[in-house]
Amino acid sequence: VIVGMLGGGQLGLMLADAALAMGHEPRCLDPKPDSCARRVCELIVAPFDDPAALDALARDVDLATYEFEQVPAAAVERLSASVPVRPGAESLRVAQDRLLEKRTLRRTRFETAAFEAVDGADDLAAALERLGRPSILKSRFGGYDGKGQVRVVDQAPEDAWAALGGVPAILEAHVPFDRELSLVCVRALGGDVAFFPVVENRHEHGILRVTRAPAPAVAPASEVALQHHARGLLGALDHVGVLTIELFDVGGRLLANEIAPRVHNSGHWTIEGAETSQFTAHLRAITGEPLGPTTLRSPAAMVNLIGEIPGALRTLDRPGLTLHDYGKAPRAGRKVGHATIVDDDPARLEATVAEVESLVRA
Ligand code: AMP
């Protein structure tokens, strides 16, 4: 199967790797000539809204997918006219609009933070009366990784509204969470659904640093309830492929924060730690194959490598440690690789994670 991908970043690279291993032929479209997927597949360098490039991709491939949710809806529409695009336009539309996203999560019975639509400073003043302070003002469109957000502590509503840039927004009550979790799900073309174990994510400055799989101490009943709601959500979107739900854990209550209609950084550990990786599972789903087992092979942790890859990490030899280098030029704040540690011995797993983290911080 020739699989077209919108986006050739590290997710595209790892999808392309998995596609090649399955005997498929990946092709990427990305505006950046140095996109990391270029190392493993043909790359069309053009903006996502370039009609000629989209048509060239559509001519070349049997079906298409995307590796990030900010692809223009028009690009997916144009491709969809000639080839199946999975996941489809509805998953993208919901993931691109924080208001629609929160409403869809509520409709499918997830708990979320209290939220209100805000379209002006007056709306904001009224919403602040109801949700209290601090609250978080988030732009409806275009925000990710903590961008497009303003924490409203004691600012006047007019100032907070101006700080966000005066764009359509939602105000969310501040959630005093204990930790962040995520659930990576996958839905097959025929509607079958599978789940990877819930994982725990630690962020710093809005960027994921460490994922632990499985997340310690998630009540089995909570995980079952979460999976039940997730099935409803995936069905409501008629989603095909991987979808990730980011969650807050507040004293055992799990609140859904947002969805990513794609493979996710918090699922990278599945390459070594699960029976089927999230990338393989995504490709199986979109090509109409059975999903395969998503069970844990071994407890795992993933440490993101941000900015640059420490030299000492390249030569570190520890049981279960695998380094992934995306081949990107070093730059502050940029995800340039990750390290996965799989180990059945919990103490040794933690010791290796600590060692990797200390090299990353040095
Ligand atoms: P988001 O862009 O929605 O993923 O938010 C980025 C990060 O901001 C999250 O990972 C949380 O750490 C934090 N955050 C977002 N929404 C809330 C909220 N309602 N309450 C507390 N923290 C939040």
Side-chain angles (χ1 to χ4, degrees):
V1 182
I2 308 180
V3 182
M5 291 191 291
L6 296 175
Q10 63 268 19
L11 301 177
L13 169 68
M14 287 183 272
L15 276 170
D17 274 339
L20 288 168
M22 297 165 83
H24 302 316
E25 266 186 67
R27 300 257 197 291
C28 274
L29 170 70
D30 197 294
K32 294 192 212 79
D34 61 347
S35 295
C36 43
R38 80 188 183 289
R39 295 160 63 204
V40 295
C41 74
E42 202 177 290
L43 176 71
I44 301 174
V45 181
F48 293 117
D49 56 4
D50 178 336
L54 290 167
D55 293 347
L57 184 70
R59 267 197 304 280
D60 231 21
V61 302
D62 298 310
L63 54 90
T65 189
Y66 42 88
E67 59 128 39
F68 75 122
E69 60 273 33
Q70 302 301 340
V71 295
V76 168
E77 269 163 40
R78 190 168 185 107
L79 278 179
S80 301
S82 346
V83 290
V85 181
R86 297 173 185 144
E90 183 63 4
S91 299
L92 203 58
R93 194 171 74 91
V94 171
Q96 286 182 344
D97 177 350
R98 281 189 194 277
L99 180 59
L100 185 58
E101 180 180 52
K102 279 278 180 331
R103 285 182 174 157
T104 305
L105 286 166
R106 282 286 182 92
R107 190 159 53 80
T108 51
R109 301 184 33 221
F110 282 94
E111 246 193 288
T112 71
F115 66 93
E116 293 196 22
V118 168
D119 290 310
D122 291 345
D123 281 358
L124 179 57
L128 280 168
E129 288 297 318
R130 288 187 286 265
L131 300 186
R133 294 165 181 261
S135 293
I136 301 179
L137 185 64
K138 300 181 178 180
S139 60
R140 266 182 74 176
F141 305 100
Y144 64 94
D145 275 0
K147 298 184 182 81
Q149 296 194 8
V150 174
R151 217 178 133 91
V152 191
V153 186
D154 48 20
Q155 308 92 306
E158 299 73 33
D159 295 340
W161 176 246
L164 191 71
V167 292
I170 69 170
L171 186 72
E172 276 183 32
H174 177 261
V175 177
F177 59 81
D178 305 314
R179 57 178 179 165
E180 295 186 73
L181 304 173
S182 59
L183 173 65
V184 180
C185 324
V186 57
R187 184 168 178 269
L189 198 53
D192 280 350
V193 176
F195 301 97
F196 292 96
V198 170
V199 298
E200 180 179 304
N201 302 315
R202 200 183 77 229
H203 296 86
E204 276 170 35
H205 312 296
I207 301 180
L208 179 64
R209 301 302 299 223
V210 181
T211 294
R212 280 191 173 75
V218 175
S222 305
E223 189 150 355
V224 169
L226 207 55
Q227 292 181 350
H228 179 76
H229 302 332
R231 268 178 216 282
L233 173 70
L234 289 159
L237 299 174
D238 196 17
H239 187 87
V240 178
V242 166
L243 178 142
T244 307
I245 306 168
E246 297 180 29
L247 304 149
F248 298 136
D249 181 347
V250 195
R253 268 172 63 216
L254 304 184
L255 275 57
N257 177 39
E258 64 176 358
I259 63 172
R262 56 169 170 81
V263 290
H264 195 260
N265 197 170
S266 70
H268 290 359
W269 66 274
T270 58
I271 296 175
E272 290 84 12
E275 293 296 338
T276 305
S277 82
Q278 63 166 347
F279 304 100
T280 302
H282 182 72
L283 288 156
R284 284 195 176 160
I286 66 172
T287 57
E289 288 179 31
L291 295 176
T294 48
T295 37
L296 194 86
R297 198 182 261 170
S298 160
M302 190 270 334
V303 180
N304 261 345
L305 307 174
I306 295 161
E308 62 180 331
I309 298 181
L313 186 56
R314 292 190 187 279
T315 52
L316 187 67
D317 185 4
R318 292 290 177 271
L321 172 64
T322 308
L323 180 68
H324 293 258
D325 180 346
Y326 308 149
K328 291 178 171 180
R331 193 175 71 202
R334 184 184 230 189
K335 293 174 182 171
V336 292
H338 72 268
T340 304
I341 305 105
V342 293
D343 203 324
D344 286 320
D345 178 336
R348 198 171 53 185
L349 176 62
E350 283 312 312
T352 312
V353 171
E355 198 174 6
V356 171
E357 279 206 85
S358 74
L359 290 177
V360 166
R361 286 178 197 289

mmCIF file of all heavy atoms in Angstrom, residues 185-211:
data_model
loop_
_atom_site.group_PDB
_atom_site.id
_atom_site.type_symbol
_atom_site.label_atom_id
_atom_site.label_comp_id
_atom_site.label_asym_id
_atom_site.label_seq_id
_atom_site.Cartn_x
_atom_site.Cartn_y
_atom_site.Cartn_z
ATOM 1 N N CYS A 185 -5.541 5.359 21.988
ATOM 2 C CA CYS A 185 -6.565 4.424 21.510
ATOM 3 C C CYS A 185 -6.360 4.224 20.014
ATOM 4 O O CYS A 185 -5.774 5.067 19.341
ATOM 5 C CB CYS A 185 -7.969 5.010 21.627
ATOM 6 S SG CYS A 185 -8.313 6.039 23.032
ATOM 7 N N VAL A 186 -6.907 3.130 19.501
ATOM 8 C CA VAL A 186 -6.880 2.957 18.050
ATOM 9 C C VAL A 186 -8.182 2.302 17.617
ATOM 10 O O VAL A 186 -8.688 1.402 18.290
ATOM 11 C CB VAL A 186 -5.638 2.153 17.598
ATOM 12 C CG1 VAL A 186 -5.555 0.792 18.260
ATOM 13 C CG2 VAL A 186 -5.579 2.017 16.081
ATOM 14 N N ARG A 187 -8.742 2.815 16.524
ATOM 15 C CA ARG A 187 -10.001 2.253 15.999
ATOM 16 C C ARG A 187 -9.788 1.782 14.571
ATOM 17 O O ARG A 187 -9.248 2.510 13.743
ATOM 18 C CB ARG A 187 -11.118 3.284 16.073
ATOM 19 C CG ARG A 187 -12.486 2.735 15.644
ATOM 20 C CD ARG A 187 -13.586 3.736 16.029
ATOM 21 N NE ARG A 187 -14.916 3.302 15.615
ATOM 22 C CZ ARG A 187 -15.466 3.620 14.452
ATOM 23 N NH1 ARG A 187 -14.816 4.351 13.576
ATOM 24 N NH2 ARG A 187 -16.690 3.203 14.163
ATOM 25 N N ALA A 188 -10.189 0.546 14.331
ATOM 26 C CA ALA A 188 -10.016 -0.059 13.009
ATOM 27 C C ALA A 188 -11.090 0.437 12.047
ATOM 28 O O ALA A 188 -12.102 0.997 12.458
ATOM 29 C CB ALA A 188 -10.088 -1.579 13.136
ATOM 30 N N LEU A 189 -10.851 0.200 10.784
ATOM 31 C CA LEU A 189 -11.801 0.590 9.736
ATOM 32 C C LEU A 189 -13.178 -0.001 10.004
ATOM 33 O O LEU A 189 -14.196 0.661 9.824
ATOM 34 C CB LEU A 189 -11.241 0.110 8.388
ATOM 35 C CG LEU A 189 -11.790 0.728 7.116
ATOM 36 C CD1 LEU A 189 -11.714 2.243 7.148
ATOM 37 C CD2 LEU A 189 -10.999 0.192 5.922
ATOM 38 N N GLY A 190 -13.207 -1.252 10.470
ATOM 39 C CA GLY A 190 -14.489 -1.909 10.739
ATOM 40 C C GLY A 190 -15.102 -1.546 12.083
ATOM 41 O O GLY A 190 -16.178 -2.026 12.419
ATOM 42 N N GLY A 191 -14.440 -0.710 12.896
ATOM 43 C CA GLY A 191 -15.021 -0.264 14.156
ATOM 44 C C GLY A 191 -14.440 -0.906 15.405
ATOM 45 O O GLY A 191 -14.759 -0.485 16.521
ATOM 46 N N ASP A 192 -13.583 -1.927 15.247
ATOM 47 C CA ASP A 192 -12.937 -2.499 16.439
ATOM 48 C C ASP A 192 -12.072 -1.433 17.103
ATOM 49 O O ASP A 192 -11.456 -0.617 16.410
ATOM 50 C CB ASP A 192 -12.007 -3.658 16.055
ATOM 51 C CG ASP A 192 -12.778 -4.945 15.813
ATOM 52 O OD1 ASP A 192 -13.983 -4.971 16.128
ATOM 53 O OD2 ASP A 192 -12.174 -5.905 15.293
ATOM 54 N N VAL A 193 -12.001 -1.504 18.438
ATOM 55 C CA VAL A 193 -11.208 -0.522 19.180
ATOM 56 C C VAL A 193 -10.232 -1.252 20.103
ATOM 57 O O VAL A 193 -10.587 -2.274 20.685
ATOM 58 C CB VAL A 193 -12.120 0.405 20.017
ATOM 59 C CG1 VAL A 193 -11.313 1.363 20.873
ATOM 60 C CG2 VAL A 193 -13.062 1.200 19.104
ATOM 61 N N ALA A 194 -9.016 -0.744 20.196
ATOM 62 C CA ALA A 194 -8.042 -1.287 21.143
ATOM 63 C C ALA A 194 -7.393 -0.127 21.889
ATOM 64 O O ALA A 194 -7.369 1.012 21.397
ATOM 65 C CB ALA A 194 -6.984 -2.117 20.409
ATOM 66 N N PHE A 195 -6.878 -0.440 23.077
ATOM 67 C CA PHE A 195 -6.280 0.597 23.922
ATOM 68 C C PHE A 195 -4.902 0.179 24.390
ATOM 69 O O PHE A 195 -4.697 -0.975 24.771
ATOM 70 C CB PHE A 195 -7.140 0.807 25.185
ATOM 71 C CG PHE A 195 -8.545 1.205 24.884
ATOM 72 C CD1 PHE A 195 -9.560 0.256 24.851
ATOM 73 C CD2 PHE A 195 -8.856 2.524 24.604
ATOM 74 C CE1 PHE A 195 -10.866 0.613 24.558
ATOM 75 C CE2 PHE A 195 -10.154 2.899 24.302
ATOM 76 C CZ PHE A 195 -11.173 1.943 24.278
ATOM 77 N N PHE A 196 -3.994 1.113 24.412
ATOM 78 C CA PHE A 196 -2.737 0.919 25.130
ATOM 79 C C PHE A 196 -3.018 1.258 26.603
ATOM 80 O O PHE A 196 -3.993 1.950 26.903
ATOM 81 C CB PHE A 196 -1.648 1.824 24.544
ATOM 82 C CG PHE A 196 -1.246 1.434 23.137
ATOM 83 C CD1 PHE A 196 -1.809 2.054 22.032
ATOM 84 C CD2 PHE A 196 -0.334 0.409 22.929
ATOM 85 C CE1 PHE A 196 -1.465 1.675 20.742
ATOM 86 C CE2 PHE A 196 0.021 0.026 21.644
ATOM 87 C CZ PHE A 196 -0.543 0.665 20.548
ATOM 88 N N PRO A 197 -2.171 0.764 27.512
ATOM 89 C CA PRO A 197 -2.398 1.109 28.923
ATOM 90 C C PRO A 197 -2.314 2.627 29.133
ATOM 91 O O PRO A 197 -1.584 3.311 28.409
ATOM 92 C CB PRO A 197 -1.248 0.415 29.653
ATOM 93 C CG PRO A 197 -0.628 -0.518 28.689
ATOM 94 C CD PRO A 197 -0.974 -0.073 27.318
ATOM 95 N N VAL A 198 -3.067 3.117 30.100
ATOM 96 C CA VAL A 198 -2.977 4.537 30.461
ATOM 97 C C VAL A 198 -1.552 4.822 30.944
ATOM 98 O O VAL A 198 -0.970 4.019 31.684
ATOM 99 C CB VAL A 198 -3.992 4.879 31.570
ATOM 100 C CG1 VAL A 198 -3.756 6.277 32.135
ATOM 101 C CG2 VAL A 198 -5.416 4.773 31.040
ATOM 102 N N VAL A 199 -0.988 5.939 30.505
ATOM 103 C CA VAL A 199 0.378 6.296 30.896
ATOM 104 C C VAL A 199 0.394 7.618 31.661
ATOM 105 O O VAL A 199 -0.551 8.411 31.579
ATOM 106 C CB VAL A 199 1.325 6.393 29.662
ATOM 107 C CG1 VAL A 199 1.421 5.050 28.969
ATOM 108 C CG2 VAL A 199 0.870 7.490 28.695
ATOM 109 N N GLU A 200 1.480 7.809 32.404
ATOM 110 C CA GLU A 200 1.649 9.043 33.183
ATOM 111 C C GLU A 200 2.673 9.934 32.477
ATOM 112 O O GLU A 200 3.743 9.449 32.078
ATOM 113 C CB GLU A 200 2.142 8.681 34.583
ATOM 114 C CG GLU A 200 2.359 9.895 35.480
ATOM 115 C CD GLU A 200 2.820 9.475 36.878
ATOM 116 O OE1 GLU A 200 2.132 8.672 37.536
ATOM 117 O OE2 GLU A 200 3.885 9.965 37.295
ATOM 118 N N ASN A 201 2.353 11.212 32.351
ATOM 119 C CA ASN A 201 3.221 12.146 31.624
ATOM 120 C C ASN A 201 3.655 13.299 32.513
ATOM 121 O O ASN A 201 2.820 13.906 33.179
ATOM 122 C CB ASN A 201 2.477 12.732 30.424
ATOM 123 C CG ASN A 201 1.985 11.658 29.468
ATOM 124 O OD1 ASN A 201 2.726 10.737 29.151
ATOM 125 N ND2 ASN A 201 0.743 11.761 29.038
ATOM 126 N N ARG A 202 4.945 13.586 32.506
ATOM 127 C CA ARG A 202 5.426 14.772 33.215
ATOM 128 C C ARG A 202 5.885 15.806 32.201
ATOM 129 O O ARG A 202 6.722 15.519 31.337
ATOM 130 C CB ARG A 202 6.568 14.396 34.155
ATOM 131 C CG ARG A 202 6.759 15.440 35.246
ATOM 132 C CD ARG A 202 7.935 15.137 36.144
ATOM 133 N NE ARG A 202 9.155 15.493 35.444
ATOM 134 C CZ ARG A 202 10.209 14.691 35.348
ATOM 135 N NH1 ARG A 202 10.190 13.491 35.882
ATOM 136 N NH2 ARG A 202 11.280 15.078 34.693
ATOM 137 N N HIS A 203 5.296 16.998 32.278
ATOM 138 C CA HIS A 203 5.646 18.087 31.362
ATOM 139 C C HIS A 203 6.503 19.111 32.085
ATOM 140 O O HIS A 203 6.395 19.278 33.297
ATOM 141 C CB HIS A 203 4.385 18.805 30.863
ATOM 142 C CG HIS A 203 3.482 17.958 30.037
ATOM 143 N ND1 HIS A 203 2.517 17.143 30.592
ATOM 144 C CD2 HIS A 203 3.384 17.797 28.703
ATOM 145 C CE1 HIS A 203 1.868 16.517 29.627
ATOM 146 N NE2 HIS A 203 2.381 16.888 28.473
ATOM 147 N N GLU A 204 7.328 19.822 31.327
ATOM 148 C CA GLU A 204 8.017 20.999 31.850
ATOM 149 C C GLU A 204 7.939 22.084 30.791
ATOM 150 O O GLU A 204 8.240 21.811 29.630
ATOM 151 C CB GLU A 204 9.491 20.671 32.154
ATOM 152 C CG GLU A 204 9.669 20.044 33.519
ATOM 153 C CD GLU A 204 11.074 19.506 33.726
ATOM 154 O OE1 GLU A 204 12.038 20.109 33.224
ATOM 155 O OE2 GLU A 204 11.190 18.447 34.368
ATOM 156 N N HIS A 205 7.558 23.278 31.188
ATOM 157 C CA HIS A 205 7.396 24.402 30.258
ATOM 158 C C HIS A 205 6.537 23.986 29.066
ATOM 159 O O HIS A 205 6.851 24.309 27.922
ATOM 160 C CB HIS A 205 8.757 24.933 29.774
ATOM 161 C CG HIS A 205 9.730 25.163 30.887
ATOM 162 N ND1 HIS A 205 9.517 26.099 31.865
ATOM 163 C CD2 HIS A 205 10.891 24.550 31.199
ATOM 164 C CE1 HIS A 205 10.511 26.061 32.737
ATOM 165 N NE2 HIS A 205 11.358 25.125 32.357
ATOM 166 N N GLY A 206 5.476 23.249 29.341
ATOM 167 C CA GLY A 206 4.548 22.888 28.270
ATOM 168 C C GLY A 206 5.038 21.773 27.361
ATOM 169 O O GLY A 206 4.338 21.406 26.427
ATOM 170 N N ILE A 207 6.233 21.221 27.626
ATOM 171 C CA ILE A 207 6.761 20.160 26.762
ATOM 172 C C ILE A 207 6.851 18.856 27.551
ATOM 173 O O ILE A 207 7.315 18.856 28.694
ATOM 174 C CB ILE A 207 8.164 20.522 26.202
ATOM 175 C CG1 ILE A 207 8.085 21.819 25.390
ATOM 176 C CG2 ILE A 207 8.704 19.395 25.322
ATOM 177 C CD1 ILE A 207 9.435 22.233 24.806
ATOM 178 N N LEU A 208 6.417 17.759 26.930
ATOM 179 C CA LEU A 208 6.500 16.452 27.588
ATOM 180 C C LEU A 208 7.958 16.098 27.853
ATOM 181 O O LEU A 208 8.805 16.196 26.959
ATOM 182 C CB LEU A 208 5.854 15.385 26.689
ATOM 183 C CG LEU A 208 5.871 13.952 27.225
ATOM 184 C CD1 LEU A 208 5.038 13.837 28.507
ATOM 185 C CD2 LEU A 208 5.346 12.983 26.169
ATOM 186 N N ARG A 209 8.268 15.712 29.082
ATOM 187 C CA ARG A 209 9.637 15.286 29.419
ATOM 188 C C ARG A 209 9.715 13.771 29.569
ATOM 189 O O ARG A 209 10.599 13.143 29.028
ATOM 190 C CB ARG A 209 10.121 15.935 30.732
ATOM 191 C CG ARG A 209 10.146 17.437 30.754
ATOM 192 C CD ARG A 209 11.016 18.058 29.679
ATOM 193 N NE ARG A 209 12.412 17.700 29.754
ATOM 194 C CZ ARG A 209 13.430 18.539 29.589
ATOM 195 N NH1 ARG A 209 13.197 19.816 29.360
ATOM 196 N NH2 ARG A 209 14.668 18.110 29.630
ATOM 197 N N VAL A 210 8.817 13.213 30.399
ATOM 198 C CA VAL A 210 8.910 11.787 30.716
ATOM 199 C C VAL A 210 7.525 11.143 30.696
ATOM 200 O O VAL A 210 6.566 11.726 31.197
ATOM 201 C CB VAL A 210 9.535 11.568 32.119
ATOM 202 C CG1 VAL A 210 9.643 10.078 32.441
ATOM 203 C CG2 VAL A 210 10.915 12.221 32.214
ATOM 204 N N THR A 211 7.449 9.965 30.104
ATOM 205 C CA THR A 211 6.227 9.153 30.144
ATOM 206 C C THR A 211 6.545 7.850 30.866
ATOM 207 O O THR A 211 7.608 7.253 30.629
ATOM 208 C CB THR A 211 5.737 8.836 28.717
ATOM 209 O OG1 THR A 211 5.333 10.051 28.091
ATOM 210 C CG2 THR A 211 4.554 7.864 28.725
#
